[in-house]
Amino acid sequence: TAVIKERSEGVWVDTPPPPAPVSVPVKAASDAPKLSKVIEYFISSTFRDMQAERDALHNYVLPEIKRYANERGEDIGFIDLRWGINADNKNSDENMAKVLSVCLQDIDRCRPQMIILLGDRYGSIPSVETLHNFIIRSTDGIYSETDLQNKSVTEIEITHGVFRQQDICDNVTICIREP
């Protein structure tokens, strides 16, 4: 299973693997419409405080959406980077630069679909060295270090996914948890 490391007060810790998948009833191949395309949604939130909400999405909401879409000839994919980034054998700056790079690539791939979960945390703020490594490696001049300095990974994801392109608000769902 893939393990993601999350920065918590300067230390990278393992985030547990996802819960067991929920089975979604699927029609027999002869009865189901041919799937025409895959629509992917990027799920953005801080990792630590939104575990229960992400689990509820994966266990209850997303299987129903997937079933509904499949019945209409569509397929839905969900990108949750809580699982899937393995940054073992990296120092913290390289690890965070890798996380940022993968996040923005996946946001671009899913654009304009995005689900944003906001809770009680602001999220991890990359160091100046991380931003330098990330910008050199990944942004093709889109961002400068000052554009991203003192911003959390979650804020960078939201800025990149929502505010870099006009007229996408109809495809973004923002869920805010009340304290």
Side-chain angles (χ1 to χ4, degrees), residues 101-146:
S101 180
V102 170
C103 284
L104 298 194
Q105 288 170 11
D106 284 343
I107 289 168
D108 287 340
R109 191 174 84 214
C110 294
R111 186 176 274 125
Q113 285 76 233
M114 193 169 185
I115 298 171
I116 301 168
L117 305 174
L118 299 175
D120 303 323
R121 290 182 44 130
Y122 181 64
S124 301
I125 299 173
S127 70
V128 173
E129 181 65 29
T130 296
L131 292 175
H132 178 74
N133 291 338
F134 164 68
I135 288 166
I136 288 172
R137 156 198 281 176
S138 305
T139 67
D140 296 326
I142 295 172
Y143 297 109
S144 71
E145 287 178 41
T146 55

Side-chain angles (χ1 to χ4, degrees), residues 66-81:
K66 192 167 185 68
R67 182 191 55 76
Y68 180 83
N70 288 168
E71 289 174 356
R72 285 149 184 81
E74 304 284 336
D75 194 14
I76 303 286
F78 301 95
I79 300 193
D80 185 339
L81 294 183

Side-chain angles (χ1 to χ4, degrees), residues 8-81:
S8 173
E9 298 172 21
V11 178
W12 290 91
V13 295
D14 292 342
T15 298
V22 173
S23 77
V24 177
V26 179
K27 291 182 178 184
S30 59
D31 296 338
K34 184 176 181 188
L35 300 180
S36 61
K37 62 180 176 178
V38 176
I39 300 169
E40 292 187 298
Y41 285 81
F42 184 88
I43 300 173
S44 174
S45 78
T46 57
F47 289 139
R48 290 245 179 255
D49 68 335
M50 301 304 288
Q51 294 288 332
E53 288 81 0
R54 283 177 179 251
D55 289 344
L57 269 177
H58 280 279
N59 291 329
Y60 304 106
V61 177
L62 303 181
E64 283 300 311
I65 293 171
K66 192 167 185 68
R67 182 191 55 76
Y68 180 83
N70 288 168
E71 289 174 356
R72 285 149 184 81
E74 304 284 336
D75 194 14
I76 303 286
F78 301 95
I79 300 193
D80 185 339
L81 294 183

Side-chain angles (χ1 to χ4, degrees), residues 149-167:
Q149 209 163 18
N150 297 318
K151 293 185 173 134
S152 72
V153 172
T154 305
E155 183 177 354
I156 293 168
E157 288 175 356
I158 293 168
T159 299
H160 187 77
V162 178
F163 299 116
R164 278 199 53 240
Q165 183 176 344
Q166 295 179 348
D167 301 326

